[in-house]
Amino acid sequence: MALKLNKSYLSAFLSAEDMSGIAAQTETAARVLHEKSGLGNDFLGWLTLPTDYDKDEFARIQAAAEKIQKTADVLIVIGIGGSYLGARAAIEFLKSPFYNNMKKDTPDIYYVGNNISPTYLNEVLSICESRDLAVNVISKSGTTTEPALAFRIFKKLLEDRYGKAGAKERIYCTTDKARGTLKNLADAEGYESFVIPDDVGGRFSVLTAVGLLPIAAAGCDIAKLMAGAKAAQDAYTAPFADNDCYQYAALRNIFYRKGKEVEMLVSYDPSFAMMNEWYKQLFGESEGKDNKGLFPSSAIFSTDLHSMGQYIQEGKRILMETVVDIKKPKQDLFLEPDAENADGLNFLTNQNMSIVNRRALEGTILAHTEGGVPNIVLELEDTSEESLGWLIYFFEKACAVSGYLLGVNPFNQPGVESYKKNMFALLGKPGYEDMKVALETKLQ
Ligand code: PA5
């Protein structure tokens, strides 16, 4: 097992009855999921993706990644939300948050189309000057404003630089198999295209071409990533008592019912920071509806102990923490002896820095638990592709089961439309004329 749920710090917060009381409900939620009889049941393709993914397309993804590596110094990944977070999270976790600054034979990667800041876009454009480019534009709907804006700009840049035929060789589209503006454009221009399956929603799509093409282009082994996810798929069909994924979903709901309002996902390695962002979207969009849901938040410790530590220890008691404990860090560092010992740190001489980090983890769990914050611990074996694939599948399935336990449809996101409609109206998009007048009155 690449991942193990450690409940040993929960004794002050949890009774045996709490777990036995929710076991049957959790089994029912999982059965509804597998039988595809629950809310949002047309978006369950991710459940069996690690076994029944399109093998021909997978080979095309690997070939495209190799071509990108050979032809581009910079890969521009255009997408927002579920169409970019997973790829970035995986690359920064598997490679490094400093990926772009590392010595490597794979392209630098910049992510655009995930905001509307002209400053951000101009800065990336200036980084791209006189460097060979490839673009992977990712949008399931093919109509999302942020990536569409960015793609218009990068498409022109590539056409100006390489000509239309040259640009065609450097643009890769990941979108719906048949519908949408991006699909139409890709067909018209002859771009190489990859498919986001109909039954896989954005935030569950990292193990499709959405995540796999950028991840492979960064030099990560996507076959191992899928193998890890498959191992998790097999493991998490076990009954509740032997199923860490179901138990984690149950624990979240137990603490929610006991009054906790915020789950903080915590890691002690900065390479996990974008995984935190991916988790926040997964759980936030899946559960935050009908006036319900734990608010997903995150932290990197010990960094954030120096900013959020006070609140966590002594602020309003609405928090629970889920700590991802990476058992075997990618690297280690040893402190050398210093004859003067002016900093007083000689007691750590010849000590692994990973052990110092572990003591910080242990000490913090004990302190926060003492302070009334339940700490669930997820022990992740290492930072390999297999372990990450396992972890991704673990969170996806736990999120679905947790959403059903909460009584919501975990696979829609109706609330995301509100800001888009207001923005379109305020920008004067045709069809929004009445709304524009009403909104402008409110802004005065
Ligand atoms: O999870 C989701 O569905 C969203 O985050 C979408 O991925 C995001 O809004 C981007 O949508 P699209 O891929 O259609 O451009």
Side-chain angles (χ1 to χ4, degrees), residues 250-370:
L251 286 168
R252 298 181 81 255
N253 280 267
I254 289 170
F255 291 124
Y256 179 70
R257 292 172 195 182
K258 284 178 188 268
K260 297 300 178 195
E261 293 175 14
V262 178
E263 178 185 42
M264 293 184 71
L265 190 68
V266 169
S267 167
Y268 283 72
D269 198 302
S271 67
F272 204 80
M274 286 307 297
M275 280 300 293
N276 279 345
E277 299 307 310
W278 173 81
Y279 142 89
K280 284 194 271 193
Q281 188 206 356
L282 181 66
F283 281 87
E285 275 191 357
S286 300
E287 292 198 319
K289 51 198 71 159
D290 307 337
N291 298 324
K292 294 186 200 175
L294 278 168
F295 181 80
S297 159
S298 67
I300 296 295
F301 288 167
S302 66
T303 314
D304 296 327
L305 289 172
H306 295 259
S307 56
M308 298 304 294
Q310 173 60 37
Y311 190 103
I312 298 166
Q313 192 68 44
E314 296 182 346
K316 200 168 174 205
R317 302 296 72 194
I318 53 172
L319 303 176
M320 57 174 282
E321 286 176 292
T322 296
V323 179
V324 178
D325 174 7
I326 300 165
K327 298 310 267 186
K328 188 165 173 275
K330 210 176 292 167
Q331 298 190 36
D332 216 328
L333 194 66
F334 296 84
L335 209 65
E336 291 181 9
D338 181 313
E340 289 174 20
N341 193 27
D343 54 14
L345 286 177
N346 268 359
F347 73 102
L348 294 175
T349 297
N350 296 328
Q351 181 67 279
N352 291 357
M353 201 114 124
S354 62
I355 298 295
V356 181
N357 208 16
R358 172 149 305 285
R359 297 294 169 254
L361 177 149
E362 291 162 352
T364 306
I365 290 177
L366 293 177
H368 288 182
T369 305
E370 189 71 19

Side-chain angles (χ1 to χ4, degrees), residues 79-85 138-145 147 174 196 201-205 210 281 285 411 413 416 420:
I80 193 165
S83 287
Y84 111 96
L85 280 168
I138 308 164
S139 176
K140 184 170 183 186
S141 64
T143 55
T144 307
T145 309
T174 306
I196 310 174
R203 57 190 174 275
F204 289 85
S205 69
V210 169
Q281 188 206 356
E285 275 191 357
F411 306 110
Q413 55 283 329
V416 181
K420 291 186 193 168

Side-chain angles (χ1 to χ4, degrees), residues 56-66 194 208-209 212-213 216 222:
D56 292 337
E57 179 170 274
F58 191 83
R60 267 199 318 118
I61 290 170
Q62 288 177 310
E66 276 173 36
F194 300 94
T208 70
L212 295 179
L213 179 54
I222 55 173

